[in-house]
């Protein structure tokens, strides 16, 4: 007895009855919702996004602005709706705020043409429930690919629903040129980021988002049994010897590339005279290229410099050398780069390097942990800012962090 495979209302093939348990297990691992129905001799597959409600809309909170491009903004949203709907999600494009109350995810979008800027900027604002590391990685990569500067900021909002707010600013160009060069790419990049939000913990589940016709082409079809789980790549064995030389291995482009991001928490201690503010976090350096990166040098730039003290598990240069001699072994970790590190910090820059030579292999992440930032004299209506930069001198590579620490201290009314 054969079991028919259906995806939505479409028949995608058939499998032998005895293969049903293995088939069910395989496709569940690939992210599909699998519903066997042996009574009616069929098994139904659904996308991992099936039943998810995703609301996309223009940003409600941005008021009318002469630089805002409403028509292009709507076009980008319509393309995102088309892309996500093809993956099985229920996508609602709205102009009102109320629909977001019942959504699994809400995306707000605004688009501005700004005179005077030289490169596009994409700013991603999110709450703690909406963005995972995979989403941020994807947005950073896609912005790099399109020549767009990426900024990411987490905000605290009362809303319990996950949301992201995307604001894109770009230099003055014609609407036609914008769409050809950037618009369609942004619609695709935002869609990919949203998909990453739902599939970080189960990477293989993204296969369920691909139409089954494309997915099934990865396998060999049999007229008798429908889908045969024999990899199509095995066809290579039957190729004539004269044609095998055509199957060349793809060349791998060497890339020296990394991404840097800050992960931190804010602690506020209420005192009688003033509040004490302290931030504790980590700085992560991830090698996303193909080459080994050697000996990162970190620069933390802070403002206002006189109000910020940076410390943590970082040793002064002379202490690091003394410990190594006393222990008769290599001391691992991080140290201040220069003897004048304290004077540099007072001027708003803190330079840090590894105590011993440090290599970061491809796909590896190296972290400066337990970074402590104290606001010494928090003043009302002041902006506290800390930015991070990483330099690899041997590879002639410089990277700024994809996010920064920014605190706005306002006066109580």
């Amino acid at each position: 007895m054969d079991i028919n495979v259906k995806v939505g209302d479409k028949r995608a093939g058939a499998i032998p009855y005895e293969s049903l348990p293995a088939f069910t297990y395989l496709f569940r691992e690939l992210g599909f919702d699998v519903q066997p129905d042996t009574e009616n001799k069929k098994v139904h597959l659904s996308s991992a996004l099936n039943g998810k409600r995703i609301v996309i809309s223009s940003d409600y909170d941005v008021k009318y602005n002469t630089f805002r491009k409403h028509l292009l903004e709507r076009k980008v949203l319509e393309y995102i709706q088309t892309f996500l709907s093809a993956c099985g999600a229920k996508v609602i494009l709205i102009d009102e705020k109320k629909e977001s109350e019942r959504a699994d995810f809400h995306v707000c979008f605004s688009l501005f043409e700004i005179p005077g800027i030289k490169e596009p900027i994409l700013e991603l604002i999110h709450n703690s429930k909406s963005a995972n590391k995979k989403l941020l990685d994807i947005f950073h990569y896609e912005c790099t690919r399109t020549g767009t500067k990426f900024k990411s900021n987490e905000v605290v909002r009362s809303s319990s629903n996950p949301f992201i707010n995307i604001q894109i600013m770009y230099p003055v160009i014609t609407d036609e040129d914008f769409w050809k060069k950037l618009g369609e790419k942004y619609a695709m990049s935002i869609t990919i980021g949203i998909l990453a939000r739902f599939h970080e913990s189960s990477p293989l589940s993204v296969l369920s988002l691909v139409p089954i016709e494309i997915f099934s082409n990865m396998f060999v079809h049999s007229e008798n049994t429908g889908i045969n789980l024999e990899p199509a790549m095995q066809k290579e064995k039957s190729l004539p010897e004269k044609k095998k030389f055509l199957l060349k291995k793809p060349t791998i482009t060497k890339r020296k590339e990394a991404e840097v991001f800050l992960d931190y928490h804010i602690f506020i201690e209420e005192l009688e005279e003033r509040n004490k503010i302290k931030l504790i976090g980590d700085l992560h350096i991830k090698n996303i290229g193909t080459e080994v990166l050697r000996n990162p040098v970190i620069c933390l730039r802070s403002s206002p410099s006189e109000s910020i003290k940076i410390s943590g598990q970082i040793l002064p240069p002379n202490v690091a050398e003394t410990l190594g001699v006393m222990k008769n072994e290599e001391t691992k970790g991080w140290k201040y780069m220069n003897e004048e590190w304290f004077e540099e910090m007072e001027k708003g820059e803190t330079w840090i390097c590894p105590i011993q030579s440090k290599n970061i292999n491809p796909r590896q992440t190296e972290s400066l942990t337990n970074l402590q930032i104290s606001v010494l004299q928090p003043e009302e209506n002041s902006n506290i800012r800390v930015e991070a930069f990483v330099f690899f001198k041997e590879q002639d590579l410089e990277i700024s962090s994809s996010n920064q620490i920014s605190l706005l201290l306002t006066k109580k009314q």
Side-chain angles (χ1 to χ4, degrees):
M1 178 177 73
D2 285 347
I3 302 293
N4 290 318
V5 180
K6 297 194 69 176
V7 181
D9 297 328
K10 297 180 180 179
R11 183 181 182 276
I15 59 170
Y17 171 77
E18 57 271 20
S19 299
L20 183 57
F23 178 90
T24 301
Y25 175 69
L26 168 63
F27 278 81
R28 280 179 180 166
E29 288 295 296
L30 295 179
F32 287 87
D33 178 34
V34 185
Q35 298 293 335
D37 182 2
T38 54
E39 183 178 350
N40 294 306
K41 299 180 182 180
K42 65 181 181 180
V43 57
H44 191 270
L45 305 180
S46 298
S47 159
L49 279 186
N50 186 53
K52 296 291 185 182
R53 295 173 60 87
I54 301 176
V55 171
I56 58 176
S57 67
S58 294
D59 189 357
Y60 314 111
D61 299 325
V62 177
K63 296 181 180 179
Y64 178 80
N65 188 302
T66 55
F67 300 131
R68 191 161 182 178
K69 306 293 288 185
H70 291 278
L71 294 179
L72 286 176
E73 187 175 291
R74 184 75 177 190
K75 189 174 182 179
V76 172
L77 288 171
E78 288 173 350
Y79 268 68
I80 294 173
Q81 181 183 34
T82 300
F83 292 146
L84 289 174
S85 298
C87 296
K90 181 176 177 55
V91 187
I92 306 162
L93 176 56
I94 61 170
D95 296 315
E96 299 179 6
K97 200 168 187 176
K98 60 181 181 181
E99 189 67 39
S100 65
E101 303 294 333
R102 297 181 288 113
D104 294 294
F105 197 58
H106 186 191
V107 181
C108 290
F109 179 65
S110 54
L111 184 67
F112 299 89
E113 183 185 64
I114 307 295
I117 65 172
K118 296 181 179 180
E119 62 180 354
I121 301 170
L122 186 150
E123 183 172 4
L124 176 67
I125 301 171
H126 60 89
N127 62 5
S128 59
K129 296 182 179 180
S130 59
N132 53 29
K133 183 176 179 300
K134 188 67 175 177
L135 180 144
L136 295 175
D137 288 349
I138 289 292
F139 267 98
H140 184 263
Y141 173 79
E142 291 292 322
C143 283
T144 302
R145 187 176 65 87
T146 56
T148 302
K149 187 175 181 180
F150 176 59
K151 294 183 178 180
S152 171
N153 291 295
E154 181 176 327
V155 297
V156 178
R157 289 193 180 178
S158 58
S159 173
S160 59
N161 295 323
F163 78 94
I164 57 174
N165 190 317
I166 301 167
Q167 185 178 96
I168 295 177
M169 294 166 282
Y170 65 94
V172 176
I173 55 176
T174 66
D175 290 357
E176 184 178 354
D177 283 344
F178 168 82
W179 188 254
K180 287 180 180 179
K181 296 178 181 179
L182 296 172
E184 186 178 17
K185 292 179 182 178
Y186 285 144
M188 295 183 66
S189 298
I190 293 170
T191 302
I192 294 170
I194 295 170
L195 297 180
R197 158 66 173 71
F198 285 96
H199 295 278
E200 181 187 40
S201 58
S202 304
L204 287 180
S205 64
V206 296
L207 290 172
S208 72
L209 306 178
V210 180
I212 194 67
E213 297 85 4
I214 298 175
F215 179 73
S216 60
N217 284 339
M218 297 167 60
F219 304 98
V220 177
H221 288 259
S222 168
E223 293 182 359
N224 297 325
T225 59
I227 298 176
N228 182 354
L229 301 181
E230 175 189 1
M233 289 301 294
Q234 291 185 5
K235 287 184 176 181
E236 180 185 344
K237 297 179 180 179
S238 62
L239 285 175
E241 290 296 326
K242 292 182 180 179
K243 292 186 178 181
K244 283 192 176 181
F245 75 92
L246 296 174
L247 297 176
K248 297 180 180 179
K249 294 183 178 180
T251 57
I252 300 176
T253 304
K254 293 183 179 181
R255 292 182 293 109
K256 293 179 290 186
E257 193 175 356
E259 63 178 19
V260 179
F261 54 96
L262 291 154
D263 178 18
Y264 61 93
H265 299 278
I266 303 172
F267 297 90
I268 301 177
E269 183 180 356
E270 293 188 0
L271 304 175
E272 291 184 2
E273 297 181 356
R274 59 181 177 85
N275 292 335
K276 183 178 180 182
I277 302 175
K278 190 172 186 178
L279 297 94
I280 298 178
D282 306 323
L283 175 71
H284 303 288
I285 308 168
K286 181 179 180 181
N287 186 343
I288 59 174
T290 61
E291 302 291 292
V292 177
L293 300 178
R294 296 180 175 84
N295 300 322
V297 173
I298 299 170
C299 175
L300 299 175
R301 184 179 297 164
S302 56
S303 65
S305 57
E306 67 275 4
S307 300
I308 298 175
K309 178 185 176 183
I310 297 176
S311 60
Q313 297 175 344
I314 312 166
L315 297 177
N318 57 340
V319 175
E321 293 174 4
T322 304
L323 284 177
V325 173
M326 292 176 59
K327 294 182 178 180
N328 196 26
E329 62 183 18
E330 291 186 352
T331 303
K332 298 180 181 179
W334 301 87
K335 66 178 181 178
Y336 294 106
M337 187 173 178
N338 304 313
E339 294 290 347
E340 303 81 13
W341 60 273
F342 189 77
E343 290 80 1
E344 290 176 343
M345 186 185 301
E346 289 183 330
K347 295 177 181 179
E349 288 190 355
T350 304
W351 290 86
I352 303 166
C353 65
I355 296 176
Q356 297 294 334
S357 180
K358 189 182 293 292
N359 293 338
I360 307 178
N361 296 318
R363 297 184 298 278
Q364 179 185 348
T365 300
E366 191 67 44
S367 301
L368 171 58
T369 58
N370 196 30
L371 194 62
Q372 300 179 27
I373 302 172
S374 301
V375 181
L376 303 178
Q377 298 174 346
E379 298 180 358
E380 294 175 340
N381 299 322
S382 63
N383 188 9
I384 305 298
R385 186 183 299 271
V386 179
E387 301 173 278
F389 306 87
V390 177
F391 304 86
F392 294 93
K393 186 176 180 181
E394 294 181 36
Q395 284 88 11
D396 192 25
L397 184 63
E398 303 178 5
I399 308 106
S400 59
S401 61
S402 59
N403 63 335
Q404 60 185 5
I405 297 172
S406 181
L407 300 177
L408 180 61
L409 307 180
T410 57
K411 186 177 181 181
K412 295 181 178 179
Q413 299 295 326

